[in-house]
Amino acid sequence: MKIGVIMGGISSEREVSLNSGREILNNMDKERYEPVEVLLDRKDDIYSKVEGIDFALLALHGKYGEDGTVQAILNSLDIPFSGCGVLSSAMCMDKDITKTILRQKEIRTADWTIIRSMDELVEERIASLGYPVVVKPNSGGSSVATFICKDFDEVRAGVEEGFGYDTEIMVEKFIKGDEITIPILGGEALPTLIIKAQKGSFFDYKSKYEDDGAVEEIIELPEALQKEVNQMARDAYAALKCEVYARIDFMVKDGVPYLLELNTLPGMTKNSLFPKSARGVGLSYKDLISRIIQISMENQGIKDDRL
């Protein structure tokens, strides 16, 4: 069975996608599957380069990959694919929509505002959130163009840079605490990881992708807190209509968890969080890839005899 590993793309996270894709290609169960590299350099590459594959394993990140666009194209081509569907991918990519739904479902998340032009950047509007604040592209990922700002001048500079990556910029109240993440696989929470950045003031791009950029360890939280964050993760996963797998990020301040965002195509490099958590339940990298393929196919009505 030909499994096309779709990687590359045109977003600012292209290099991360290439690393994820190569890792998947190197570790896929080759006794069970025939992995095929599908490298996207342009938007229209998807139409010709997926010809002949039986299943698309998505290793894309960012726009035109994580936002539902590629998923919609694969749907139209009748090619089954891994992970979340079109609607869920689009909603989770848009942080403003994600947080709006979380609030509606009474899932705790930090206060925020959206800036669509420099004219909307009013000092009183930002000050009402309380400093420091986080400035980031509304539909970005991997902490690209993300800044912790302690005053309005820093916010202005961060927003200006952010507009080089997106048409909407989120300014969010900064929650100082312990950063944790909970991967969800097949609707079940995997072990919680605590993240301690070593190369930046927070879990930024360098911390995420450079060797020794961060210490990421499985942690068992106090029973009540662990139960709460697991439930918040599952509730958010359901509210945003996620499927197969996702990674849910939190900040915990004084024992109170705040949900940051949901990642529908989390990184799958050797340094990535999802594989580290899966190892905590005895799931090797190769077996994790197989499980993602299996669950995706089951969700799309493809019988096991095709595996």
Side-chain angles (χ1 to χ4, degrees):
M1 182 177 201
K2 287 189 177 181
I3 306 289
V5 180
I6 303 184
M7 54 197 282
I10 60 171
S11 81
S12 59
E13 298 172 72
R14 175 182 170 87
E15 194 60 36
V16 181
S17 169
L18 292 174
N19 290 338
S20 290
R22 290 166 185 150
E23 199 78 16
I24 291 169
L25 285 167
N26 289 336
N27 288 277
M28 192 181 298
D29 186 346
K30 295 177 178 63
E31 293 183 0
R32 195 170 191 177
Y33 311 112
E34 180 185 348
V36 178
E37 179 184 292
V38 180
L39 178 60
L40 304 185
D41 296 312
R42 306 183 313 175
K43 282 186 176 181
D44 57 1
D45 280 349
I46 186 72
Y47 296 99
S48 60
K49 292 189 175 181
V50 296
E51 290 183 4
I53 68 171
D54 300 305
F55 180 88
L57 184 54
L58 299 178
L60 295 167
H61 302 302
K63 291 185 176 180
Y64 196 71
E66 203 166 350
D67 59 1
T69 308
V70 165
Q71 290 84 347
I73 293 171
L74 292 169
N75 268 343
S76 70
L77 297 173
D78 291 325
I79 297 174
F81 56 87
S82 61
C84 294
V86 176
L87 178 60
S88 177
S89 299
M91 290 193 298
C92 291
M93 187 70 182
D94 189 309
K95 296 179 177 65
D96 183 35
I97 288 177
T98 295
K99 288 169 73 70
T100 298
I101 292 173
L102 294 177
R103 276 285 168 88
Q104 195 275 330
K105 294 291 186 179
E106 299 182 344
I107 299 171
R108 192 182 302 107
T109 188
D111 292 339
W112 79 99
T113 190
I114 292 293
I115 305 299
R116 296 179 175 85
S117 72
M118 294 304 295
D119 292 338
E120 292 185 7
L121 188 60
V122 179
E123 188 166 3
E124 291 76 14
R125 181 177 176 184
I126 305 304
S128 67
L129 294 171
Y131 289 103
V133 295
V134 181
V135 174
K136 53 189 173 184
N138 184 47
S139 296
S142 293
S143 298
V144 174
T146 297
F147 310 96
I148 298 175
C149 304
K150 65 180 184 295
D151 57 40
F152 188 68
D153 287 340
E154 291 185 359
V155 170
R156 180 182 294 278
V159 169
E160 286 179 339
E161 183 163 342
F163 276 131
Y165 295 89
D166 199 0
T167 58
E168 296 182 329
I169 307 302
M170 174 174 285
V171 182
E172 179 183 45
K173 172 66 179 176
F174 175 61
I175 305 296
K176 183 175 177 59
D178 294 323
E179 187 164 359
I180 64 170
T181 190
I182 299 179
I184 301 286
L185 179 63
E188 297 298 323
L190 296 181
T192 301
L193 289 167
I194 188 167
I195 303 159
K196 298 176 182 178
Q198 302 293 299
K199 294 195 174 182
S201 58
F202 66 103
F203 195 42
D204 60 6
Y205 189 93
K206 285 187 176 181
S207 296
K208 287 180 177 178
Y209 300 115
E210 290 187 2
D211 289 336
D212 302 318
V215 174
E216 302 152 350
E217 300 172 330
I218 291 177
I219 184 173
E220 183 66 31
L221 300 169
E223 184 178 356
L225 178 57
Q226 188 69 66
K227 183 177 179 180
E228 182 179 11
V229 293
N230 282 354
Q231 190 61 54
M232 288 175 69
R234 288 192 295 263
D235 288 347
Y237 184 91
L240 275 298
K241 301 184 183 296
C242 294
E243 300 174 86
V244 186
Y245 74 120
R247 200 191 75 228
I248 295 88
D249 298 340
F250 294 85
M251 194 68 75
V252 180
K253 179 181 181 181
D254 300 326
V256 179
Y258 294 81
L259 201 153
L260 298 177
E261 63 182 14
L262 292 84
N263 300 273
T264 57
L265 282 178
M268 295 293 284
T269 70
K270 63 185 177 67
N271 291 327
S272 294
L273 296 161
F274 210 111
K276 288 183 179 180
S277 174
R279 287 197 292 271
V281 291
L283 201 59
S284 70
Y285 189 97
K286 182 170 73 172
D287 289 339
L288 174 60
I289 298 304
S290 295
R291 285 293 295 143
I292 288 171
I293 295 171
Q294 291 167 9
I295 298 170
S296 299
M297 288 188 168
E298 289 168 7
N299 283 4
Q300 294 173 66
I302 299 172
K303 294 181 180 181
D304 290 345
D305 57 11
R306 286 194 58 184
L307 296 179

